[in-house]
Amino acid sequence: MTGSSTGRFTLAPSPIHDGWLDFHAPGEAAYNRAVLGPTRLRGEGPATVRVRIEPGPQLANSSGVVHGGALLGLIDLSLFGALMLLTGRDPTDAITLDLTNQFIAPGAMDRPIDAVVERLRETGRLVFLRGVVEQEDTLVCAFQATVRKLGRSA
């Protein structure tokens, strides 16, 4: 998928990041846009998607690294970005059933941070995913999740 809109979320080729798609959530006040900032993604194989954000000051904790809540927000957003890119499914037509995360290292504020999501299996109603959050050669988190498709769209 090189660019699409599912009605609420949109994917479009990034005009400034070659090979990436800009992932836009609906509404200027939406958490994804207002807190996490601009989000882009790209496919990295038939079942893997990389989702990238640039940490801004709003993502810092009191220690000056990326807040754990922001990392979890990125992970959750990445599940739905991956679902949209891999299946064309509108992210508003699915919910996170479970998410397990292990924090491994702090996320630095001065480099892009990526969530790499792999679809392990998909059934009629469920999608099983796993992934990592990384910054260059630093592994920040490892996670696994289950997403339930609600059945309102294809």
Side-chain angles (χ1 to χ4, degrees), residues 41-74:
L41 54 87
R42 69 175 183 215
E44 295 194 341
T48 304
V49 174
R50 179 176 297 268
V51 179
R52 176 170 287 176
I53 62 171
E54 305 278 342
Q58 77 280 8
L59 300 185
N61 67 15
S62 59
S63 298
V65 297
V66 179
H67 192 285
L71 293 169
L72 291 170
L74 168 61

mmCIF file of all heavy atoms in Angstrom, residues 41-74:
data_model
loop_
_atom_site.group_PDB
_atom_site.id
_atom_site.type_symbol
_atom_site.label_atom_id
_atom_site.label_comp_id
_atom_site.label_asym_id
_atom_site.label_seq_id
_atom_site.Cartn_x
_atom_site.Cartn_y
_atom_site.Cartn_z
ATOM 1 N N LEU A 41 5.635 5.563 8.719
ATOM 2 C CA LEU A 41 5.863 4.121 8.725
ATOM 3 C C LEU A 41 6.261 3.644 7.344
ATOM 4 O O LEU A 41 6.092 4.340 6.347
ATOM 5 C CB LEU A 41 4.648 3.374 9.264
ATOM 6 C CG LEU A 41 3.276 3.622 8.643
ATOM 7 C CD1 LEU A 41 3.056 2.728 7.463
ATOM 8 C CD2 LEU A 41 2.214 3.382 9.685
ATOM 9 N N ARG A 42 6.806 2.431 7.333
ATOM 10 C CA ARG A 42 7.150 1.775 6.071
ATOM 11 C C ARG A 42 7.110 0.269 6.282
ATOM 12 O O ARG A 42 7.404 -0.244 7.374
ATOM 13 C CB ARG A 42 8.508 2.216 5.541
ATOM 14 C CG ARG A 42 9.672 1.735 6.355
ATOM 15 C CD ARG A 42 11.006 2.100 5.712
ATOM 16 N NE ARG A 42 12.077 1.550 6.520
ATOM 17 C CZ ARG A 42 13.236 2.137 6.703
ATOM 18 N NH1 ARG A 42 13.504 3.293 6.143
ATOM 19 N NH2 ARG A 42 14.166 1.558 7.445
ATOM 20 N N GLY A 43 6.752 -0.435 5.242
ATOM 21 C CA GLY A 43 6.779 -1.883 5.275
ATOM 22 C C GLY A 43 8.202 -2.380 5.174
ATOM 23 O O GLY A 43 9.026 -1.786 4.469
ATOM 24 N N GLU A 44 8.470 -3.461 5.880
ATOM 25 C CA GLU A 44 9.796 -4.082 5.835
ATOM 26 C C GLU A 44 9.634 -5.583 5.642
ATOM 27 O O GLU A 44 10.128 -6.369 6.422
ATOM 28 C CB GLU A 44 10.584 -3.757 7.103
ATOM 29 C CG GLU A 44 10.897 -2.284 7.220
ATOM 30 C CD GLU A 44 11.949 -1.955 8.268
ATOM 31 O OE1 GLU A 44 12.205 -2.778 9.167
ATOM 32 O OE2 GLU A 44 12.516 -0.853 8.163
ATOM 33 N N GLY A 45 8.893 -5.939 4.630
ATOM 34 C CA GLY A 45 8.617 -7.337 4.358
ATOM 35 C C GLY A 45 7.124 -7.576 4.372
ATOM 36 O O GLY A 45 6.345 -6.677 4.664
ATOM 37 N N PRO A 46 6.717 -8.807 4.075
ATOM 38 C CA PRO A 46 5.288 -9.086 3.942
ATOM 39 C C PRO A 46 4.498 -9.024 5.247
ATOM 40 O O PRO A 46 3.283 -8.901 5.221
ATOM 41 C CB PRO A 46 5.254 -10.496 3.352
ATOM 42 C CG PRO A 46 6.570 -11.100 3.727
ATOM 43 C CD PRO A 46 7.553 -9.962 3.771
ATOM 44 N N ALA A 47 5.175 -9.082 6.388
ATOM 45 C CA ALA A 47 4.453 -9.087 7.662
ATOM 46 C C ALA A 47 5.079 -8.164 8.707
ATOM 47 O O ALA A 47 4.787 -8.279 9.885
ATOM 48 C CB ALA A 47 4.390 -10.515 8.209
ATOM 49 N N THR A 48 5.942 -7.239 8.292
ATOM 50 C CA THR A 48 6.656 -6.384 9.238
ATOM 51 C C THR A 48 6.546 -4.927 8.826
ATOM 52 O O THR A 48 6.686 -4.592 7.650
ATOM 53 C CB THR A 48 8.140 -6.783 9.332
ATOM 54 O OG1 THR A 48 8.222 -8.171 9.682
ATOM 55 C CG2 THR A 48 8.873 -5.970 10.378
ATOM 56 N N VAL A 49 6.296 -4.065 9.825
ATOM 57 C CA VAL A 49 6.168 -2.625 9.606
ATOM 58 C C VAL A 49 7.017 -1.896 10.643
ATOM 59 O O VAL A 49 7.034 -2.264 11.819
ATOM 60 C CB VAL A 49 4.692 -2.182 9.720
ATOM 61 C CG1 VAL A 49 4.557 -0.677 9.653
ATOM 62 C CG2 VAL A 49 3.856 -2.855 8.635
ATOM 63 N N ARG A 50 7.706 -0.856 10.193
ATOM 64 C CA ARG A 50 8.486 0.021 11.077
ATOM 65 C C ARG A 50 7.723 1.333 11.227
ATOM 66 O O ARG A 50 7.355 1.950 10.228
ATOM 67 C CB ARG A 50 9.874 0.274 10.502
ATOM 68 C CG ARG A 50 10.748 1.192 11.360
ATOM 69 C CD ARG A 50 12.153 1.320 10.768
ATOM 70 N NE ARG A 50 12.830 0.035 10.753
ATOM 71 C CZ ARG A 50 13.617 -0.431 11.735
ATOM 72 N NH1 ARG A 50 13.837 0.309 12.815
ATOM 73 N NH2 ARG A 50 14.188 -1.605 11.634
ATOM 74 N N VAL A 51 7.495 1.751 12.476
ATOM 75 C CA VAL A 51 6.781 3.001 12.778
ATOM 76 C C VAL A 51 7.753 3.913 13.513
ATOM 77 O O VAL A 51 8.361 3.517 14.503
ATOM 78 C CB VAL A 51 5.527 2.726 13.636
ATOM 79 C CG1 VAL A 51 4.807 4.025 13.953
ATOM 80 C CG2 VAL A 51 4.595 1.739 12.924
ATOM 81 N N ARG A 52 7.889 5.161 13.042
ATOM 82 C CA ARG A 52 8.905 6.077 13.579
ATOM 83 C C ARG A 52 8.275 7.374 14.078
ATOM 84 O O ARG A 52 7.391 7.936 13.444
ATOM 85 C CB ARG A 52 9.925 6.401 12.502
ATOM 86 C CG ARG A 52 10.968 7.431 12.923
ATOM 87 C CD ARG A 52 12.093 7.538 11.939
ATOM 88 N NE ARG A 52 12.929 6.333 12.076
ATOM 89 C CZ ARG A 52 13.974 6.076 11.303
ATOM 90 N NH1 ARG A 52 14.320 6.901 10.344
ATOM 91 N NH2 ARG A 52 14.686 4.969 11.500
ATOM 92 N N ILE A 53 8.778 7.817 15.238
ATOM 93 C CA ILE A 53 8.488 9.153 15.740
ATOM 94 C C ILE A 53 9.813 9.834 16.080
ATOM 95 O O ILE A 53 10.838 9.169 16.242
ATOM 96 C CB ILE A 53 7.562 9.153 16.979
ATOM 97 C CG1 ILE A 53 8.213 8.415 18.155
ATOM 98 C CG2 ILE A 53 6.188 8.578 16.642
ATOM 99 C CD1 ILE A 53 7.474 8.558 19.483
ATOM 100 N N GLU A 54 9.764 11.145 16.170
ATOM 101 C CA GLU A 54 10.918 11.946 16.597
ATOM 102 C C GLU A 54 10.575 12.473 17.986
ATOM 103 O O GLU A 54 9.641 13.270 18.116
ATOM 104 C CB GLU A 54 11.142 13.125 15.650
ATOM 105 C CG GLU A 54 11.303 12.738 14.194
ATOM 106 C CD GLU A 54 12.696 12.274 13.843
ATOM 107 O OE1 GLU A 54 13.639 12.550 14.608
ATOM 108 O OE2 GLU A 54 12.839 11.630 12.782
ATOM 109 N N PRO A 55 11.266 12.039 19.032
ATOM 110 C CA PRO A 55 10.910 12.499 20.374
ATOM 111 C C PRO A 55 11.033 14.017 20.508
ATOM 112 O O PRO A 55 12.033 14.604 20.115
ATOM 113 C CB PRO A 55 11.924 11.802 21.285
ATOM 114 C CG PRO A 55 12.436 10.657 20.486
ATOM 115 C CD PRO A 55 12.375 11.089 19.050
ATOM 116 N N GLY A 56 9.989 14.620 21.027
ATOM 117 C CA GLY A 56 10.003 16.048 21.340
ATOM 118 C C GLY A 56 9.986 16.225 22.845
ATOM 119 O O GLY A 56 9.836 15.251 23.603
ATOM 120 N N PRO A 57 10.117 17.448 23.324
ATOM 121 C CA PRO A 57 10.183 17.690 24.768
ATOM 122 C C PRO A 57 8.959 17.199 25.529
ATOM 123 O O PRO A 57 9.059 16.872 26.709
ATOM 124 C CB PRO A 57 10.352 19.207 24.884
ATOM 125 C CG PRO A 57 10.014 19.759 23.552
ATOM 126 C CD PRO A 57 10.209 18.672 22.542
ATOM 127 N N GLN A 58 7.807 17.108 24.860
ATOM 128 C CA GLN A 58 6.591 16.635 25.514
ATOM 129 C C GLN A 58 6.660 15.148 25.873
ATOM 130 O O GLN A 58 5.853 14.664 26.658
ATOM 131 C CB GLN A 58 5.355 16.919 24.642
ATOM 132 C CG GLN A 58 5.161 15.973 23.468
ATOM 133 C CD GLN A 58 6.013 16.259 22.250
ATOM 134 O OE1 GLN A 58 6.909 17.101 22.274
ATOM 135 N NE2 GLN A 58 5.748 15.555 21.158
ATOM 136 N N LEU A 59 7.640 14.423 25.343
ATOM 137 C CA LEU A 59 7.772 12.991 25.623
ATOM 138 C C LEU A 59 8.783 12.685 26.725
ATOM 139 O O LEU A 59 8.960 11.532 27.103
ATOM 140 C CB LEU A 59 8.153 12.232 24.352
ATOM 141 C CG LEU A 59 7.176 12.320 23.186
ATOM 142 C CD1 LEU A 59 7.636 11.415 22.047
ATOM 143 C CD2 LEU A 59 5.765 11.973 23.603
ATOM 144 N N ALA A 60 9.446 13.700 27.255
ATOM 145 C CA ALA A 60 10.499 13.476 28.258
ATOM 146 C C ALA A 60 9.911 13.216 29.640
ATOM 147 O O ALA A 60 8.877 13.766 30.012
ATOM 148 C CB ALA A 60 11.425 14.688 28.316
ATOM 149 N N ASN A 61 10.603 12.378 30.395
ATOM 150 C CA ASN A 61 10.255 12.222 31.806
ATOM 151 C C ASN A 61 11.203 13.094 32.636
ATOM 152 O O ASN A 61 12.026 13.830 32.093
ATOM 153 C CB ASN A 61 10.283 10.746 32.231
ATOM 154 C CG ASN A 61 11.673 10.133 32.200
ATOM 155 O OD1 ASN A 61 12.696 10.820 32.125
ATOM 156 N ND2 ASN A 61 11.713 8.814 32.280
ATOM 157 N N SER A 62 11.108 13.001 33.947
ATOM 158 C CA SER A 62 11.919 13.859 34.814
ATOM 159 C C SER A 62 13.414 13.528 34.755
ATOM 160 O O SER A 62 14.237 14.320 35.200
ATOM 161 C CB SER A 62 11.417 13.786 36.257
ATOM 162 O OG SER A 62 11.471 12.449 36.717
ATOM 163 N N SER A 63 13.768 12.390 34.189
ATOM 164 C CA SER A 63 15.178 12.019 34.035
ATOM 165 C C SER A 63 15.751 12.448 32.688
ATOM 166 O O SER A 63 16.913 12.190 32.395
ATOM 167 C CB SER A 63 15.345 10.504 34.186
ATOM 168 O OG SER A 63 14.946 10.094 35.476
ATOM 169 N N GLY A 64 14.915 13.050 31.838
ATOM 170 C CA GLY A 64 15.395 13.529 30.556
ATOM 171 C C GLY A 64 15.469 12.477 29.461
ATOM 172 O O GLY A 64 16.155 12.673 28.465
ATOM 173 N N VAL A 65 14.768 11.353 29.646
ATOM 174 C CA VAL A 65 14.673 10.324 28.615
ATOM 175 C C VAL A 65 13.195 10.179 28.234
ATOM 176 O O VAL A 65 12.325 10.760 28.857
ATOM 177 C CB VAL A 65 15.271 8.974 29.089
ATOM 178 C CG1 VAL A 65 16.759 9.118 29.377
ATOM 179 C CG2 VAL A 65 14.541 8.450 30.318
ATOM 180 N N VAL A 66 12.927 9.389 27.193
ATOM 181 C CA VAL A 66 11.549 9.214 26.743
ATOM 182 C C VAL A 66 10.730 8.529 27.840
ATOM 183 O O VAL A 66 11.129 7.490 28.382
ATOM 184 C CB VAL A 66 11.494 8.407 25.427
ATOM 185 C CG1 VAL A 66 10.046 8.215 24.979
ATOM 186 C CG2 VAL A 66 12.299 9.098 24.330
ATOM 187 N N HIS A 67 9.601 9.124 28.177
ATOM 188 C CA HIS A 67 8.709 8.612 29.224
ATOM 189 C C HIS A 67 8.174 7.234 28.831
ATOM 190 O O HIS A 67 7.851 6.988 27.668
ATOM 191 C CB HIS A 67 7.550 9.592 29.407
ATOM 192 C CG HIS A 67 6.727 9.339 30.616
ATOM 193 N ND1 HIS A 67 5.827 8.315 30.695
ATOM 194 C CD2 HIS A 67 6.673 10.003 31.795
ATOM 195 C CE1 HIS A 67 5.239 8.353 31.880
ATOM 196 N NE2 HIS A 67 5.741 9.366 32.567
ATOM 197 N N GLY A 68 8.078 6.330 29.788
ATOM 198 C CA GLY A 68 7.553 4.989 29.531
ATOM 199 C C GLY A 68 6.149 5.010 28.965
ATOM 200 O O GLY A 68 5.795 4.195 28.107
ATOM 201 N N GLY A 69 5.322 5.947 29.406
ATOM 202 C CA GLY A 69 3.969 6.070 28.868
ATOM 203 C C GLY A 69 3.982 6.448 27.398
ATOM 204 O O GLY A 69 3.145 5.988 26.617
ATOM 205 N N ALA A 70 4.932 7.281 26.999
ATOM 206 C CA ALA A 70 5.064 7.646 25.588
ATOM 207 C C ALA A 70 5.493 6.433 24.767
ATOM 208 O O ALA A 70 5.018 6.235 23.643
ATOM 209 C CB ALA A 70 6.059 8.785 25.426
ATOM 210 N N LEU A 71 6.384 5.609 25.320
ATOM 211 C CA LEU A 71 6.802 4.394 24.618
ATOM 212 C C LEU A 71 5.616 3.448 24.439
ATOM 213 O O LEU A 71 5.428 2.870 23.366
ATOM 214 C CB LEU A 71 7.931 3.698 25.379
ATOM 215 C CG LEU A 71 9.249 4.462 25.421
ATOM 216 C CD1 LEU A 71 10.214 3.811 26.415
ATOM 217 C CD2 LEU A 71 9.877 4.568 24.036
ATOM 218 N N LEU A 72 4.791 3.313 25.475
ATOM 219 C CA LEU A 72 3.603 2.465 25.361
ATOM 220 C C LEU A 72 2.607 3.040 24.364
ATOM 221 O O LEU A 72 1.961 2.302 23.614
ATOM 222 C CB LEU A 72 2.956 2.269 26.732
ATOM 223 C CG LEU A 72 3.773 1.430 27.711
ATOM 224 C CD1 LEU A 72 3.170 1.507 29.111
ATOM 225 C CD2 LEU A 72 3.884 -0.008 27.237
ATOM 226 N N GLY A 73 2.482 4.369 24.331
ATOM 227 C CA GLY A 73 1.629 5.001 23.333
ATOM 228 C C GLY A 73 2.124 4.727 21.921
ATOM 229 O O GLY A 73 1.341 4.435 21.014
ATOM 230 N N LEU A 74 3.441 4.823 21.721
ATOM 231 C CA LEU A 74 4.025 4.496 20.417
ATOM 232 C C LEU A 74 3.748 3.045 20.053
ATOM 233 O O LEU A 74 3.371 2.738 18.916
ATOM 234 C CB LEU A 74 5.536 4.759 20.421
ATOM 235 C CG LEU A 74 6.306 4.187 19.227
ATOM 236 C CD1 LEU A 74 5.827 4.788 17.906
ATOM 237 C CD2 LEU A 74 7.799 4.375 19.419
#
